[in-house]
Amino acid sequence: MREHSELGVCVLLLALGVLVLTDALTMDVDLTQRGPVGPRTVPIVVGAGLLVIAALLAVDVLRGGHGEAEGGEDVDLSEPADWRTVLLLAGVFLGSAVLIEPLGFPVAGALLFWGAAFALGSRRTDRDPLIAAGLSFLTYVVFNHLLGVPLPGGPLMGVL
């Protein structure tokens, strides 16, 4: 079965397609309120696409097709993983998730952007906090005011 190991991907795509289609078809939607293209349309198209791709990939694998090894990556697999960076990023994401409610998105997002830049190696303490604050504020404005997706403002809610 080693020469057909890609069939595992086919099974995964098939299961994901069935899950998406099941959720889409059991969704409680009033079509007269939503119009002809409602919230079911995209999940049905995506689920059907997943099933088609799973079938086409299975046929290709059974006919002898196989994936090619990646040749363009600049990754030295003999080097150990950089667990310090991974743990720093995980801590920054968890901290942001915990702080978003009490501090609001602008502050938690700025800490997220700044912490991610620090974890990935940037040490520009004069520039990074300003860029992080700008990105966070811009993201808050776009989502909260332009897209209508409410984000918690925290203590800055009255100011923003």
Side-chain angles (χ1 to χ4, degrees), residues 39-104:
R40 285 185 181 171
T41 306
V42 172
I44 288 175
V45 170
V46 169
L50 285 168
L51 294 179
V52 168
I53 288 175
L56 291 174
L57 182 60
V59 168
D60 181 54
V61 169
L62 293 174
R63 287 185 177 172
H66 59 83
E68 295 180 22
E70 291 190 36
E73 284 290 327
D74 289 338
V75 176
D76 186 6
L77 296 177
S78 64
E79 290 291 319
D82 186 7
W83 287 108
R84 179 183 178 271
T85 301
V86 171
L87 292 174
L88 277 172
L89 280 173
V92 166
F93 284 124
L94 285 173
S96 176
V98 168
L99 295 175
I100 196 167
E101 197 60 42
L103 297 181

